Amino acid sequence: FPPINPYRLLTMAKKTDVAVGVLVRGAGPQRQVLIARRPDGAVLGGFWELPGGKIEPGESPALCLQREFTEELGVAVRVGQALPVIEHLYNHALVRLHPFLCDLESGTPRDLQVAEHRWVSPEDLSDYRFPPANTELMKQIVDVLREDDEGKYEIRNSKFE
């Protein structure tokens, strides 16, 4: 058999666009990010994730995040600045993560479609098991929030204090 061209795999793979919300509360050393654990029976069950989900046809990433936060955790969020898109090739699909910084508009998180949720410091994200596609995103979050503390990164459309 001839060798497989990785570029061909990428073009043949099913593409899945996923909106990801980095919901932040607090400031400085008290800053925390909301994470949720996927139900055991779900795809990638038991892994921790940032809330979000598949972007439906005709839906913007921001509308997807607002819908997913309501469905999964019963809260309303304000979607802020986009972070760089991340692509990851799984056996079943090419996943494109569209991450956004978010702010809690109303409600208290409840475990509606997640096994559990936690508020954790950005530095503690590495203590949790996330799907492989999230590895680069976890680094981005720590860097972005650290830069924000140093006044180098502008968080638009949001009130993180």
Side-chain angles (χ1 to χ4, degrees):
F1 292 101
I4 296 175
N5 179 340
Y7 178 75
R8 182 161 160 71
L9 285 176
L10 288 175
T11 58
M12 291 174 51
K14 176 185 170 192
K15 293 169 184 66
T16 304
D17 286 289
V18 176
V20 178
V22 183
L23 181 58
V24 181
R25 73 174 181 187
Q30 282 72 45
R31 182 168 284 152
Q32 296 179 312
V33 176
L34 183 75
I35 62 172
R37 193 169 57 78
R38 298 177 64 86
D40 290 332
V43 174
L44 299 172
F47 279 90
W48 288 88
E49 66 179 357
L50 296 162
K54 291 180 188 171
I55 301 170
E56 300 293 337
E59 185 177 49
S60 71
L63 285 176
C64 175
L65 281 176
Q66 290 169 340
R67 174 179 56 78
E68 290 285 345
F69 270 96
T70 300
E71 291 173 1
E72 293 179 2
L73 295 154
V75 296
V77 297
R78 184 179 310 112
V79 179
Q81 186 161 343
L83 299 176
V85 173
I86 295 169
E87 292 187 346
H88 184 82
L89 183 61
Y90 285 102
N91 289 338
H92 63 282
L94 171 65
V95 175
R96 285 188 294 236
L97 301 180
H98 300 264
F100 290 83
L101 297 172
C102 296
D103 186 29
L104 187 63
E105 242 180 11
S106 66
T108 300
R110 296 172 285 142
D111 300 333
L112 301 178
Q113 293 183 3
V114 299
E116 64 178 300
H117 72 277
R118 293 183 186 171
W119 289 99
V120 300
S121 73
E123 293 78 14
D124 291 340
L125 289 169
S126 61
D127 295 342
Y128 295 85
R129 188 176 70 139
F130 286 87
N134 287 249
T135 303
E136 181 59 33
L137 179 56
M138 296 302 116
K139 293 176 193 169
Q140 282 184 22
I141 292 168
V142 171
D143 290 345
V144 163
L145 296 179
R146 182 181 304 120
E147 288 174 7
D148 179 55
D149 285 342
E150 296 171 7
K152 296 179 184 174
Y153 194 87
E154 178 184 356
I155 298 175
R156 297 188 295 256
N157 303 325
S158 197
K159 56 171 180 95
F160 282 93
E161 303 308 318

